[in-house]
Amino acid sequence: MTSSPYITQPTSVSIIMLKVMLALIPAIIAYVWYFGPAILVSLTLASITALVLETAALKLRSLPVKPYLMDGSALVTAWLLALSIPSIAPWWLIVVGLFFAIIVAKHLYGGLGNNLFNPAMVGYAILIISFPVPMTHWAAPSILAGHQLGLMESVQYIFNGTLSDTLDAISTATPLDTLRTQLHLNRSVGEITHMPIFGTFGGQGSEMIALFILLGGIYMWLARIITWHIPVAFIAGLATISGIFYIVDATHYASPWFHLATGGAMLGAFFIATDPVSGATTPKGKIIFGAGIGILTYLIRIMGAYPDGVAFAVLLMNIAVPLIDSYTQPAVYGHKDKQS
Amino acid sequence: MSRTLYQFHGGVHPEEHKQISTQLPIAVAPVPAQLIVPTRQHIGHPSKPCVSVGEYVRKGQIIAHADSYISVATHAPSSGTVTQIGTHAMPHPSGLVDTVIVIQTDGKDEWCERQPIDYRNLNASALRNRLRDMGIAGLGGAVFPSFIKLNPGVPQKVQTLLLNGGECEPWISCDDMTMRERANGIMAGAEVMRFMLRAENVIIGIEDNKPEAIAAMQQAAAQCTFPVEIAVIPTLYPSGGAKQMIKVITGKEVPSGGRSTDVGVATFNVGTAYAIHRAIHHGEPLISRVVTLTGNIQQPRNFDVLIGTPMNELVQLGQGHPEKVTGHIMGGPMMGIELARIDVPVVKATNCVLVKSDSLFPPAPAAIPCIRCTRCADACPADLQPQELYWFARAKNFDKAQKYNLFDCIECGCCSYVCPSHIPLVQYYRYAKSEIAANLAEHKAADHARDRHETRLARIEREKRERAEKLAQKAAAKPATETAADDPAAAAKKAAIQAAIERAKANQAATQPPNEPT
């Protein structure tokens, strides 16, 4: 005996997570194209690590492993973290990051659905605070690098850290990093963005990845995996505040286009801030949540101690979610006239 | 004629499966050997039997009278002999029993005397009583006695009579077929209702997945002497819910806890309009209804079924099951109830009997944790936040659940339907609602008990005081009477002793702790 309804839509959490990963694939292909196959190594490493950690956590908690592992949430966390840190980062960086993401941020809070903070961003934050040097050691775009690492070389580099003679050529600071340090040298934004590492809007190559992430995000919106609220509010928030600064002083502040096309902006807008578990849930709340992340991302970028601000912005807004949700409850049917 | 339509929030569009039961016209189901007629087929009070065992009854004869305000009469659906007045299982998920009148039919199907009702020349109250005695109750699902809703109360309060032909639940097609085949009858019923309510406009809302019904109703509307508007609304579950349909057609929202008449609309199912037509123009009480028999059977079809027909006999009319039967649902797959047993009677609320199989209704996968994806909130036609209500219900945080308007949930099932974690959300809300209701009842009972206890204590206290006062008075009066009769010194001494004893007693009574039983 059951109770109504007796039918359900054939969607499942696994399918949703699978579609999220599917949406990332174009950006990953672009990543390989512009920065070499190292990202494939780090994604594989991250996936295996996440599955092992998830299995261990489920076993320790005496939960059934298969249905929970099948939900795909651990893999999504792994991919998002791998895409947020340098692809040529040493192997232990990913392992440590995922330990904090999956064991601490997720399972110690009660597992899937119970985490207050975005697991991938907790992992990222721990890494950038604890290991700032390898975390700012990014692969150089292929067209600027003297030598692009092949697949085997990437494996060797990630696991052994050797390959010293070409080291300088394969790694570089990110555009956000460069902008930041060069601004301290009193150069204007216009001069800085003419450096070869910069592309049309953002970084050389990375701006194309951002574009593909945007396309993946649009796919997720069309596939109804996410609603428009958080990404649009995030982009609007980031664009507005960076636009204001840019209008006031274009020599010291980069354009909104630059901010949207660099760092974790697009990944943050479509794939990270939209994590349903740790994000706001009401339509109005999603807009506040997204806009908050966009604004905080910018403020951290230009005023904070770290080059990018997406992770900290997301975590800060995660804290505010219960408050946002409780103050943005939509009017219920039959209550609207009373409220207006 | 076209009208501006509005949208209600949310809704879902499950596979319809309506086609399979609309291929054949409505068939009249045979008279079963035994009719099990419940005395209560609606919310409200059961009717009171007025026949006795062994009595011969004719088709349409009253066998139980309405027994309170919210009640309607019950009639013999066919002629035969009353063999039992007792209890029988009802179509209810927990196999609840209720009073029934069992009639052994004689196959003659002989009518009692039928008299059309001259409704235009009858005073309003008499007309409503006639409808009550005709057993007319809403055939949409809630089965509310219609005559109560046809009481407009304040004149001109109801401007719009809205007939609901939405029929948004998948699989069900009884309203669709009724509209196709009995459009003129529905209009005739609408005319009576319009007259009773003094409604200005009549609107019939039909989902756009029923083109034949729309055409038939439009044709019937063209022949009407009063203006009728056929509002074709988008197919979206649950637009057949009265509140949702009112929103779609008028843009107004029925206030929470209020009724549709608060926004000037009276809503009835199209089948109810047809039943009123039969009652008024043919003098036939509500003794049968159209039931969709569908799902895992060879011949899905709509049948005009006598109330009281055992459902297992109805199911046999479907000519067997292609697959293994895994259960029976009364109603649709979104809001219907799974029957514990199927020897239960067809009642006025039985719009559909849906036979289940594993391939048509696969069991839901095991639930996994909620990821707060808010698909439920996007689908909720009451604009609730089901993911929050789920959390509160699970945590037994019922105050919070009520604050988030738990009781505005219409239990349509949209949230459970879309949940990717396959959480049976609606079950949690039903649980929370029943817990709150139980708590409330317990609270009331406790209040009542406390009141009673306090009253009792006060009474005991008062009685003690009175007794003590009386005794004291007696004691004071004694010396005078006793001195006259006996030796004055001895009497005075005795009286003094007696008075002291009484004083001590009174003292003791007064100082006794109040909650100690005496």
Side-chain angles (χ1 to χ4, degrees), chain B residues 331 359 484:
Chain B
S359 64

Side-chain angles (χ1 to χ4, degrees), chain A residues 13-34:
Chain A
V13 173
S14 321
I15 292 173
I16 293 173
M17 297 291 176
L18 209 70
K19 284 184 176 170
V20 171
M21 291 163 77
L22 197 71
L24 283 169
I25 286 178
I28 292 169
I29 293 170
Y31 206 124
V32 174
W33 180 263
Y34 289 104

Side-chain angles (χ1 to χ4, degrees), chain B residues 34-41 46-67 71-86 99-105 110 112 132-135 285-287 307-308 348:
Chain B
Q34 207 176 43
L35 286 161
I36 306 155
V37 188
T39 54
R40 170 177 24 209
Q41 300 181 32
S47 48
K48 198 174 167 196
C50 58
V51 288
S52 46
V53 174
E55 200 174 325
Y56 182 79
V57 290
R58 288 183 179 180
K59 181 174 187 161
Q61 182 184 328
I62 290 189
I63 54 174
H65 284 294
D67 199 31
S71 184
V72 294
T74 307
H75 304 77
S78 185
S79 59
T81 312
V82 176
T83 57
Q84 193 197 335
I85 299 175
T99 307
V100 296
I101 299 170
V102 181
I103 298 168
Q104 193 75 39
T105 57
E110 199 181 347
C112 65
R132 181 193 66 197
D133 294 338
M134 282 291 185
L286 180 49
I287 52 168
I307 305 295
K348 289 170 189 169

